[in-house]
Amino acid sequence: MSIVEVKNLHKKFGNFQALDGVNLALNQGEIYGFIGPNGAGKSTTIRILLGILKASEGKATIFGKDAWHDAVEIHKRLAYVPGDVNLWPNLTGGEVIDLLIGLRGGNNKHKREELLERFALDPSKKCRTYSKGNRQKVALVAAFASDPELFIFDEPTSGLDPLMEQVFQEYVQAAKNAGKTVLLSSHILSEVEKLCDRVGIIRQGKIIESGTLSEMRHLTRTNLLVETKEPIPAIDEWKGIHNVQKDGQTLDFQVDSEELDAVIRYVSQYGIVKLESAPPTLEDLFMRHYEHKQETTEGGNS
Amino acid sequence: MFRSASDNIGSLITFTLRKDRVRIPLWLIGIIFFTILIPLALDDMFPTQDERDVMAETLANPAVTAMVGPGDIENYTIGAMTTHNMLLFTAVVVGLMSILLVIRHTRTEEEDGLSELLLALPVGRLANLNATLFVLTVTNIVLALVSGFSLYALGLESMDLEGSLLYGVALGSTGLFFTGVAAVFAQVSESSRGATGLSIAVLLLAYFIRAIGDVSNETISLFSPLGLVTQTKAYSANEWWPVLFLVGFSALLFLLANYLNAIRDWGAAFLHARAGRTHATRFLQSPIGLFFRTQRTAFISWAISMLVLGISYGSVMGDLESFFQGNELLEQMLIAEEGYSLTEQFIPALMLVMGILATVPPIMAMNKLIGEEKKNRIESILAAPVSRGKLLASNLIIAAFNGFVMISLSGIGLWLAAEAVMEDSFSFGTIYGASLVFYPAMLVMIGAALFLIGVAPRFTGLIWVYVVFSFITNYLGGLLDLPEWIEKLSPFGHIPALPVEKMEWTPIVLLISVAAILIILGFIGYRKRDIEG
Ligand SMILES: Nc1ncnc2c1ncn2[C@@H]1O[C@H](COP(=O)(O)OP(=O)(O)OP(=O)(O)O)[C@@H](O)[C@H]1O
Ligand SMILES: [Mg+2]
């Protein structure tokens, strides 16, 4: 059963079409990465899921319930951490954590203390004095301490230092191991790559790619580094080969997956000395879409 | 050592002045403008000595003395009147100005890490403090001289050069004193808020010590810098010794601040921010608790202000009859009603002013919800299992409670003071009822604010237009000869003028129904719309 299901979601802000038919599904127990360039519509999708914004068209359900109508019921079973955590300046971090946990109804004292320690957060300070990272920790501690079935994170680590990011990843992993479902929107692709089972890429209000990382890699390019005895003629002109870089007899390029076989055959004629291949990183995938986006927006504007 | 510690102070002074090239002139212009405006207005309102003596009579009671200090009641010239009514308040404002400016240039800069940049340049450790002290000293001297000479320049008969200068210098030396206080607390406290808070606490304490002293034993007042200010008796006895004391103490405070700055590390302090609670109370863990907690300080300050307002209105009740005779303006505003004393007839007008003023804090409490939304804090609450209805209802309860407390305190204050100054006072029920009868009108205003939050969140500011409209049409309606239906456009226009008129329930029921309808529509709108954040 899908924990989160979004079908043909549209959202208009005045005349501006922020979401233009988003489709998403999160299965029980998986970590779903939600990535896309700035302004693509990630936060808007998440806010509709939270019932804070009302969809113009389409359907969003969580736990099989309508995200708008049954918001209160749904929220009993989920925790949300925004990227830009805004807190009440005259309350202390500890008070805000208790407030957020208390509103949700759960209370796990032991877990709270452990989290405070792991995230190295002083709960006796007024929120006014917290840095961005510390404000984010407040929301993270409150989320992890309340033990929900679904976590929704919107760029939760944008202000955390690498050490804290590590702690965050550990807790997300632990949540997954405990059978929880996680929706993680992030610009830190290494984090998404490390944690997520499946990834959805959104651009201009549409999901343009989604699936497991290996499925997505399959559709894309592989990085190859070859050194041959004899120089390979006209490699640049070969179909499906991109970004060729020459360094003496060593060549570095990318190959479209469907051309890989042919390219290897061709190259092997020239006596391979060394061959290294690397799967594309999420960054490569993402960059490809991003570059593509710029082409289309330029075209669209003219 | 001291010299090198203040190296390069000249360029820092220039720098400080440049940063405040708008702020300081604005403060000065504002203060001086009011200083010269008041005697002109008084001269206009009380042109003859007889009228001034009536006023003196009215004001000669302990409640007023506690508020504004002692005055030269025997010889109540325009000058003496200005000193009596304005010197203390203006001195408090000057003190506040000095505190805010000093903290801004000392602890705030340190806290923000700005003066670290400066310390890395070839400037002495004490240079920033002394540059600030220098700038504030100059500011206060300018204030003293300009306000002194401008008062004299008004050319009013009773305002001679000596009195005018003393008035100005009393203000300037208060500024110097609180410059010193703030400079010391800027060393002592770790945060700029802490330093500002402690300095303002000293200012308030000075005010209250003086208030107690002025009504009981004048020697006590001498322990307060503000008590010294009123002891100058500008335009009557013209005493200069209190100014000398103030300047002398200021110099000591300047030295103390320098000493404390010299013996501490940069960024360090003698008092550390107190650790707050690590856990929330049970009460806080609900929207209502949260809203109450985040508005607590504003609530308490407003509550005290409303009580003081009620007391100050009540304290003039004793001599109202004589005061009214011959004042056409005021007589015109009253409803000429047979069988009621002038004092009684004055009550509905007072209650109206207090009722509309008491509407301000509950509307602010209601609009807090939209403020929270704009600051992106509502989303954290709505992401928890809290319905929009519950959120809005919590805020409504807070606002309605707030309004009830405000209007009650203003009525209670008025009754308490009237009881103290009048020989034949009113019953508590009469006064409290006359004040509480405005509550339904207040509920309509709160309802209108809620309606805007739910239905037109971009236009929540419009409610203030309605408040001002209510005030103008109802308070000045009689004067301006407005048709009655315009008054009735405001909920305050429907309230029976107790105790002069009889109680009428029809408009009350009507107002409560209107409030209920606005509230219901607001709820419907709020549950349907997008939350911005
Ligand atoms: N309340 C609003 N009114 C008008 N436009 C809005 C509103 N909220 C979002 N938008 C627009 O909708 C688009 C999608 O915004 P959204 O915040 O969902 O992007 P995002 O993918 O989260 O971007 P980022 O990575 O920068 O967080 C943006 O172009 C944004 O300007
Ligand atoms: Mg976003």
Side-chain angles (χ1 to χ4, degrees):
Chain A
M1 185 196 100
S2 294
I3 297 289
V4 177
E5 195 157 13
V6 171
K7 275 197 191 134
N8 192 30
L9 200 62
H10 287 75
K11 178 68 192 177
K12 269 189 149 179
F13 292 113
N15 282 329
F16 178 72
Q17 190 83 45
L19 296 185
D20 192 11
V22 171
N23 292 296
L24 270 186
L26 266 73
N27 301 318
Q28 161 100 50
E30 78 173 350
I31 305 180
Y32 188 93
F34 196 28
I35 60 178
N38 292 132
K42 301 179 294 294
S43 300
T44 305
T45 308
I46 288 177
R47 286 177 162 183
I48 291 176
L49 281 171
L50 289 167
I52 291 168
L53 298 179
K54 189 169 188 175
S56 316
E57 202 184 306
K59 220 177 140 180
T61 56
I62 299 183
F63 308 125
K65 296 185 174 121
D66 186 274
W68 176 262
H69 287 289
D70 305 322
V72 176
E73 277 309 303
I74 293 171
H75 294 176
K76 284 181 186 154
R77 297 160 64 189
L78 70 75
Y80 164 61
V81 177
D84 215 352
V85 180
N86 293 290
L87 304 172
W88 298 271
N90 52 350
L91 301 188
T92 64
E95 285 179 315
V96 171
I97 290 171
D98 284 348
L99 168 72
L100 294 177
I101 300 174
L103 289 176
R104 213 169 276 130
N107 195 0
N108 188 339
K109 280 239 158 60
H110 181 70
K111 187 90 183 272
R112 177 188 187 271
E113 301 312 315
E114 176 203 306
L115 282 156
L116 283 175
E117 197 165 311
R118 288 300 310 279
F119 278 109
L121 180 71
D122 178 356
S124 68
K125 287 228 171 90
K126 298 271 184 201
C127 292
R128 170 183 308 118
T129 66
Y130 281 141
S131 62
K132 175 173 164 63
N134 279 336
R135 290 200 304 271
Q136 234 157 7
K137 289 181 193 172
V138 168
L140 285 170
V141 170
F144 285 121
S146 50
D147 200 37
E149 292 165 52
L150 169 67
F151 290 94
I152 296 182
F153 296 118
D154 191 357
E155 296 179 44
T157 55
S158 52
L160 296 187
D161 63 43
L163 205 67
M164 291 303 138
E165 206 181 309
Q166 190 90 39
V167 177
F168 167 75
Q169 291 175 7
E170 269 174 50
Y171 276 103
V172 173
Q173 202 67 55
K176 178 192 152 90
N177 294 342
K180 320 279 188 196
T181 312
V182 179
L183 173 60
L184 172 63
S185 147
S186 176
H187 285 303
I188 302 173
L189 298 172
S190 59
E191 179 179 275
V192 175
E193 201 163 12
K194 205 187 285 177
L195 291 173
C196 298
D197 304 301
R198 287 196 307 133
V199 174
I201 302 181
I202 185 171
R203 205 188 65 208
Q204 295 181 328
K206 279 200 185 89
I207 300 279
I208 47 166
E209 190 93 71
S210 86
T212 64
L213 275 174
S214 52
E215 277 169 11
M216 283 168 72
R217 280 182 180 134
H218 188 70
L219 296 171
T220 55
R221 302 167 185 170
T222 305
N223 295 319
L224 279 187
L225 186 128
V226 251
E227 196 181 328
T228 46
K229 286 196 194 113
E230 296 158 41
I232 311 170
I235 184 86
D236 316 44
E237 284 143 45
W238 198 272
K239 192 174 152 225
I241 286 188
H242 309 269
N243 303 339
V244 181
Q245 274 170 357
K246 228 178 198 149
D247 180 15
Q249 286 294 76
T250 313
L251 284 175
D252 191 350
F253 53 85
Q254 295 175 339
V255 189
D256 286 343
S257 299
E258 61 269 28
E259 296 298 324
L260 194 58
D261 188 41
V263 169
I264 297 284
R265 274 170 210 273
Y266 174 68
V267 167
S268 62
Q269 296 169 31
Y270 301 91
I272 295 179
V273 176
K274 183 171 150 197
L275 175 70
E276 285 173 19
S277 86
T281 60
L282 187 54
E283 197 159 327
D284 295 330
L285 293 178
F286 188 74
M287 283 311 204
R288 224 185 69 181
H289 287 302
Y290 192 72
E291 284 155 13
H292 183 53
K293 175 205 169 183
Q294 285 186 328
E295 282 160 29
T296 52
T297 45
E298 274 160 29
N301 285 346
S302 62
Chain B
M1 169 237 145
F2 192 80
R3 244 197 67 86
S4 76
S6 287
D7 256 3
N8 237 332
I9 185 169
S11 42
L12 279 183
I13 290 172
T14 326
F15 186 54
T16 308
L17 281 175
R18 200 161 62 225
K19 274 186 296 187
D20 273 353
R21 62 175 182 270
V22 178
R23 198 174 296 251
I24 292 180
L26 274 184
W27 272 106
L28 290 183
I29 291 170
I31 292 170
I32 292 166
F33 179 72
F34 271 102
T35 303
I36 57 179
L37 193 72
I38 295 297
L40 287 178
L42 290 175
D43 189 44
D44 202 42
M45 275 153 60
F46 306 98
T48 68
Q49 190 58 44
D50 284 348
E51 283 166 299
R52 295 196 281 267
D53 286 339
V54 172
M55 187 68 182
E57 192 86 340
T58 313
L59 295 180
N61 66 65
V64 171
T65 306
M67 243 175 353
V68 302
D72 188 8
I73 300 297
E74 261 73 77
N75 189 14
Y76 214 50
T77 58
I78 290 292
M81 230 173 159
T82 307
T83 304
H84 185 203
N85 289 295
M86 289 312 296
L87 180 57
L88 182 61
F89 280 135
T90 317
V92 169
V93 174
V94 173
L96 197 65
M97 169 190 84
S98 301
I99 289 170
L100 295 178
L101 289 175
V102 169
I103 302 294
R104 195 176 118 77
H105 288 296
T106 52
R107 186 49 81 169
T108 309
E109 297 232 318
E110 213 169 298
E111 201 177 38
D112 295 347
L114 287 177
S115 44
E116 197 168 10
L117 268 177
L118 293 176
L119 283 182
L121 299 172
V123 297
R125 288 168 48 78
L126 299 174
N128 188 43
L129 173 65
N130 285 313
T132 308
L133 293 178
F134 180 82
V135 168
L136 263 289
T137 306
V138 172
T139 304
N140 280 302
I141 291 176
V142 170
L143 172 72
L145 295 180
V146 176
S147 46
F149 282 115
S150 330
L151 283 170
Y152 179 60
L154 294 177
L156 294 169
E157 192 191 339
S158 58
M159 301 179 86
D160 57 351
L161 184 60
E162 191 188 356
S164 300
L165 277 181
L166 180 57
Y167 191 99
V169 171
L171 291 181
S173 47
T174 315
L176 279 187
F177 184 88
F178 285 98
T179 299
V181 169
V184 169
F185 281 122
Q187 315 309 316
V188 168
S189 168
E190 197 174 30
S191 70
S192 60
R193 283 180 66 91
T196 311
L198 285 169
S199 308
I200 290 179
V202 170
L203 184 65
L204 290 179
L205 193 71
Y207 183 86
F208 284 117
I209 291 179
R210 178 214 52 81
I212 295 168
D214 284 351
V215 289
S216 58
N217 179 348
E218 294 230 327
T219 323
I220 296 177
S221 298
L222 297 183
F223 287 95
S224 153
L226 294 175
L228 288 173
V229 170
T230 55
Q231 288 305 317
T232 56
K233 304 189 174 134
Y235 297 119
S236 32
N238 284 344
E239 303 279 4
W240 285 86
W241 59 266
V243 172
L244 290 180
F245 269 101
L246 281 173
V247 174
F249 281 125
S250 311
L252 288 180
L253 287 168
F254 283 21
L255 285 178
L256 179 62
N258 264 291
Y259 172 71
L260 292 174
N261 196 355
I263 62 168
R264 74 179 173 94
D265 280 342
W266 184 85
F270 298 94
L271 277 184
H272 296 282
R274 191 164 41 94
R277 288 171 187 273
T278 58
H279 289 79
T281 56
R282 269 237 59 76
F283 177 61
L284 179 55
Q285 296 177 33
S286 62
I288 241 186
L290 172 69
F291 287 140
F292 189 77
R293 200 26 221 288
T294 49
Q295 305 179 12
R296 196 169 55 187
T297 316
F299 176 77
I300 294 173
S301 332
W302 270 104
I304 294 174
S305 313
M306 289 313 298
L307 187 69
V308 169
L309 184 73
I311 291 177
S312 46
Y313 274 153
S315 61
V316 298
M317 292 253 148
D319 302 281
L320 268 184
E321 294 285 328
S322 46
F323 180 57
F324 277 127
Q325 262 138 35
N327 192 327
E328 272 175 52
L329 192 79
L330 284 167
E331 274 182 354
Q332 205 179 332
M333 284 169 63
L334 297 174
I335 322 139
E337 199 76 40
E338 293 296 313
Y340 289 96
S341 69
L342 275 169
T343 314
E344 273 171 305
Q345 290 183 44
F346 196 48
I347 287 177
L350 284 184
M351 292 301 178
L352 177 77
V353 174
M354 295 202 298
I356 294 181
L357 257 178
T359 308
V360 173
I363 289 181
M364 282 168 66
M366 198 66 229
N367 278 354
K368 179 98 177 160
L369 193 63
I370 209 83
E372 292 278 292
E373 184 175 338
K374 289 200 178 116
K375 287 181 187 136
N376 260 313
R377 295 194 202 119
I378 290 295
E379 121 186 305
S380 319
I381 303 176
L382 282 183
V386 173
S387 70
R388 292 174 180 217
K390 179 167 177 185
L391 190 69
L392 190 53
S394 305
N395 207 53
L396 173 63
I397 292 171
I398 293 273
F401 171 74
N402 180 314
F404 184 78
V405 171
M406 295 305 157
I407 205 160
S408 298
L409 284 177
S410 62
I412 293 171
L414 194 143
W415 177 78
L416 282 175
E419 185 74 8
V421 298
M422 287 174 73
E423 278 158 30
D424 183 16
S425 184
F426 305 101
S427 76
F428 177 72
T430 311
I431 297 288
Y432 190 56
S435 137
L436 211 56
V437 74
F438 284 96
Y439 190 55
M442 191 188 262
L443 286 179
V444 173
M445 301 305 277
I446 296 174
L450 190 151
F451 174 80
L452 289 173
I453 291 174
V455 177
R458 256 160 240 224
F459 300 103
T460 45
L462 281 183
I463 189 69
W464 297 116
V465 177
Y466 198 29
V467 172
V468 172
F469 170 84
S470 297
F471 184 76
I472 293 175
T473 52
N474 282 278
Y475 183 62
L476 304 174
L479 270 184
L480 303 175
D481 263 337
L482 293 177
E484 201 173 280
W485 63 266
I486 291 192
E487 262 175 59
K488 299 267 182 207
L489 289 180
S490 155
F492 290 92
H494 297 263
I495 300 294
L498 296 184
V500 181
E501 289 174 15
K502 270 221 218 54
M503 182 64 197
E504 275 187 70
W505 289 100
T506 329
I508 301 294
V509 172
L510 192 86
L511 286 178
I512 290 178
S513 320
V514 170
I517 291 169
L518 285 169
I519 288 169
I520 290 169
L521 291 177
F523 266 85
I524 294 175
Y526 194 68
R527 292 175 63 162
K528 275 205 299 218
R529 73 172 174 88
D530 284 350
I531 299 290
E532 300 289 335

